[in-house]
Each structure stands twice: as C-alpha cells, then as structure tokens.
Amino acid sequence: MTEKEESVKLLGFWASPFSRRVEMALKLKGVPYEYLEEDLPNKTPLLLELNPLHKKVPVLVHNDKILLESHLILEYIDQTWKNNPILPQDPYEKAMARFWAKFIDEQILTLGFRSLVKAEKGREVAIEETREMLTFLEKEVTGKDFFGGKTIGFLDMIAGSMIPFCLARLWEGIGIDMIPGEKFPELNRWIKNLEEVEAVRGCIPPRDKQIERMTKIAETIKSA
C-alpha cells in the first residue's frame, strides 16, 4: 500500500480527553484521517468489533492495524510519522514524559474527579489534595512554553486534553476554582499557550456543552 493509499481512521467521542489527544497528534503531524464519532454510552457494532476487550474509545485503525489506549496510540503515531516529533529524543526525558502522563491519567484524574465528587473526606480536603498534585505539574512547566519545551509534545497532549479541557470544566460546573492564577501562574500561562496552537484549538470540546456533561456525570457518581 503506497503512502497515498494509506487509510487512517479514528473512533472517538467529542468529550473524551483520550480520543481528543489522539486527534491533536494527527493534526500536528498533518496526517489525513477519517473521524468516526461514537454516540456513548451507545456503542456501535464497529467499536465492539475493533475493541472487544475494553469497548472504549479511542481506537486508531491504520491500514489493517488496530491500536488501542491513547498513550500507545500517541507513541505509534510519533514513530510512524516522523515529522513534528511528539516524544523527547533523550531517553531520560522520554521516560519522564511517560511517568508524568501516567501520573495525570491515574492520580490527578482519580483525585480531581471521582475523589472530589464523592468527597468522602470532605470537599476542602479533596481540593487541597488535588492542588498538591497539580503543584508537581506547575514545577514541571516552570520557565517553559510547553512541557515539551518550545513546542507542544506528548505530555502537553495528555495534560491538555485531561486538565483544562476536561477536569477544569467539571470544577467550573461545581463551583471550584481549582487552578487560580495566583497559585498556579505557570499552569495558567501554559494553558494560554496551548489554546494558541492550531492543532489543539480544533480539539477543544465546546465549553458549555462539556460543563453540562461533566456536571451530570458528577451527579451520577455522587448519588451512586
């Protein structure tokens, strides 16, 4: 199959940080792709066929190859299309980018979403614990335009899709200013930089629609 005949399809969901970050990477690399929107929680037969294990988005189909899990998909995209590198070339920096990406998708997502909504130890405690975690990212991006340095990279896509364009919408919806400018000047500066990147702008979910959706999910978790 020649390069011109290459087929790239992405199964995603408009509000999913996991599929939005894959879109960011494809746009940054200039890879033409067909986007197939899933109507979650109603899962299409195609999604169930391509991802019978997790039944989740994103799913990337490159020619006859099926890829799951956003971190792995981003690495695959970076190694397949070499222009505009996403991951650092230095082995240590690459390992650290993976470390912080895991930290965001596991610890910050758990603390800043489920633990905060459940608020079993009280809302103020949950807010403080989430801010403590965010302080590590504040230090990581200090003095840099992006986590990736001068240009957007792997960690920017993970952090951007998850924090300002997903969790922050929940925080706003339930009346919490989690990342105030005076406490997190570097993260706020980074968010502004991120919003100016064309590949990112096209992947930011509509604000009001996202706030409404995240608030509804929070209510469901709280009452469970």
Side-chain angles (χ1 to χ4, degrees):
M1 190 174 270
T2 66
E3 193 174 347
K4 284 184 182 174
E5 292 170 321
E6 275 199 326
S7 166
V8 180
K9 293 179 183 176
L10 173 65
L11 278 71
F13 179 58
W14 70 268
S16 167
F18 305 103
S19 64
R20 284 299 198 177
R21 62 183 55 155
V22 174
E23 283 191 86
M24 288 178 196
L26 291 169
K27 287 178 188 297
L28 187 73
K29 296 274 187 180
V31 178
Y33 65 97
E34 181 186 352
Y35 177 75
L36 303 168
E37 172 76 5
E38 286 291 317
D39 178 24
L40 301 180
N42 307 311
K43 295 168 185 182
T44 63
L46 181 61
L47 176 62
L48 299 175
E49 178 194 332
L50 295 175
N51 190 359
L53 184 62
H54 300 305
K55 306 177 179 67
K56 291 178 181 176
V57 296
V59 178
L60 185 79
V61 185
H62 178 213
N63 300 332
D64 56 349
K65 301 183 188 82
I66 300 164
L67 293 114
L68 317 173
E69 302 289 345
S70 65
H71 292 208
L72 302 181
I73 294 172
L74 290 180
E75 294 209 28
Y76 176 83
I77 289 170
D78 202 32
Q79 289 165 12
T80 305
W81 294 278
K82 304 289 188 183
N83 60 309
N84 298 333
I86 293 169
L87 276 153
Q89 299 304 300
D90 178 77
Y92 173 75
E93 287 179 9
K94 189 181 290 184
M96 291 312 294
R98 289 173 175 146
F99 169 82
W100 289 116
K102 199 165 183 283
F103 170 80
I104 289 161
D105 277 358
E106 291 177 8
Q107 288 177 265
I108 287 184
L109 176 56
T110 301
L111 266 176
F113 187 24
R114 192 166 290 274
S115 299
L116 182 69
V117 170
K118 282 284 189 188
E120 286 161 351
K121 293 184 279 185
R123 181 183 270 207
E124 290 309 313
V125 173
I127 291 171
E128 207 45 53
E129 287 179 346
T130 305
R131 282 183 178 153
E132 278 177 28
M133 295 294 109
L134 291 167
T135 300
F136 289 105
L137 297 179
E138 174 80 2
K139 288 174 186 168
E140 275 302 301
V141 81
T142 295
K144 295 190 280 190
D145 292 338
F146 300 99
F147 286 102
K150 285 286 176 194
T151 54
I152 180 177
F154 176 78
L155 188 53
D156 296 286
M157 293 173 186
I158 304 287
S161 59
M162 182 58 73
I163 298 171
F165 311 137
C166 181
L167 290 179
R169 305 283 173 79
L170 164 74
W171 300 332
E172 187 177 345
I174 60 177
I176 297 170
D177 184 9
M178 187 69 80
I179 318 175
E182 66 276 9
K183 282 193 179 184
F184 297 97
E186 297 294 324
L187 276 176
N188 279 282
R189 181 182 54 79
W190 163 75
I191 292 167
K192 284 192 177 72
N193 289 343
L194 208 53
E195 289 170 340
E196 289 171 10
V197 177
E198 192 179 343
V200 173
R201 265 203 311 271
C203 301
I204 300 173
R207 185 175 156 276
D208 292 344
K209 192 178 174 187
Q210 179 77 316
I211 288 171
E212 184 185 350
R213 181 177 180 276
M214 294 300 288
T215 308
K216 279 182 183 170
I217 294 172
E219 285 165 4
T220 305
I221 291 171
K222 200 171 182 178
S223 58

